[in-house]
Amino acid sequence: MNNDKLDALIKRIASEHGIVLTKDDPVLMMHTLNEVLLEQNENAHVELLNKYEAILQESFNQWQTFASKKANVLINAQQNHFSKNHDQVSDQCMQLISEKIRITINHEIIELTRISRQAAIMNLLAAILVLVSVVIVVFMLL
């Protein structure tokens, strides 16, 4: 404790209690001892608070790392799930499109077959008419 503080303390005790203390008084020694103990206690508290802050920071960093990893796992799982669902939907769409194309092609083939039969029948009828015409012309010429 510096002399100015000690002098201020001696004056205060004298004014408040009417007792004059000297610098070598054991009461002042106890006061100085209390101040030293308070300073040590304050330093110990500061050190404990710094350690506690470091532990909290480390715990926060670990929690942040864990939370980030967990979030990434969840995001990846969701993306995989979405990808699988997307693939399934895409496969279903491709199957539906293929089925529609197959049905349309089959319908067109059936329609072309029908038109071809009609054309064949008309060609046959035309050939019969030509044959009948030839026969009639031959009979007339004879």
Side-chain angles (χ1 to χ4, degrees):
M1 183 173 184
N2 64 29
N3 284 333
D4 291 339
K5 286 185 180 180
L6 193 56
D7 289 339
L9 180 64
I10 290 172
K11 286 180 186 176
R12 186 173 175 184
I13 291 173
S15 69
E16 288 183 19
H17 300 287
I19 298 173
V20 177
L21 299 175
T22 61
K23 290 187 179 187
D24 61 348
D25 197 303
V27 171
L28 293 179
M29 180 185 71
M30 290 304 292
H31 177 73
T32 303
L33 181 61
N34 280 338
E35 277 193 347
V36 168
L37 290 174
L38 284 173
E39 287 173 6
Q40 289 175 350
N41 192 12
E42 182 181 349
N43 292 338
H45 276 91
V46 167
E47 185 179 334
L48 284 173
L49 284 174
N50 289 338
K51 286 180 181 178
Y52 182 68
E53 182 181 7
I55 289 169
L56 279 178
Q57 185 65 37
E58 183 180 340
S59 295
F60 175 75
N61 290 339
Q62 288 174 351
W63 179 84
Q64 185 179 18
T65 301
F66 173 77
S68 294
K69 286 180 182 177
K70 195 67 163 175
N72 287 335
V73 166
L74 290 173
I75 288 170
N76 288 337
Q78 184 63 26
Q79 285 176 339
N80 289 340
H81 180 70
F82 176 77
S83 178
K84 286 179 184 176
N85 284 345
H86 183 264
D87 290 346
Q88 288 175 350
V89 169
S90 295
D91 288 346
Q92 288 174 351
C93 287
M94 292 303 292
Q95 287 174 355
L96 286 173
I97 290 170
S98 296
E99 184 66 20
K100 289 283 186 183
I101 290 172
R102 187 183 61 73
I103 289 171
T104 303
I105 289 173
N106 285 342
H107 179 69
E108 290 297 321
I109 289 172
I110 290 170
E111 186 64 23
L112 284 174
T113 304
R114 186 184 63 78
I115 291 172
S116 296
R117 281 186 189 148
Q118 287 176 351
I121 290 171
M122 291 173 83
N123 284 335
L124 184 61
L125 287 175
I128 291 173
L129 282 174
V130 169
L131 182 63
V132 169
S133 298
V134 168
V135 170
I136 291 175
V137 169
V138 169
F139 278 124
M140 287 186 145
L141 290 176
L142 289 176

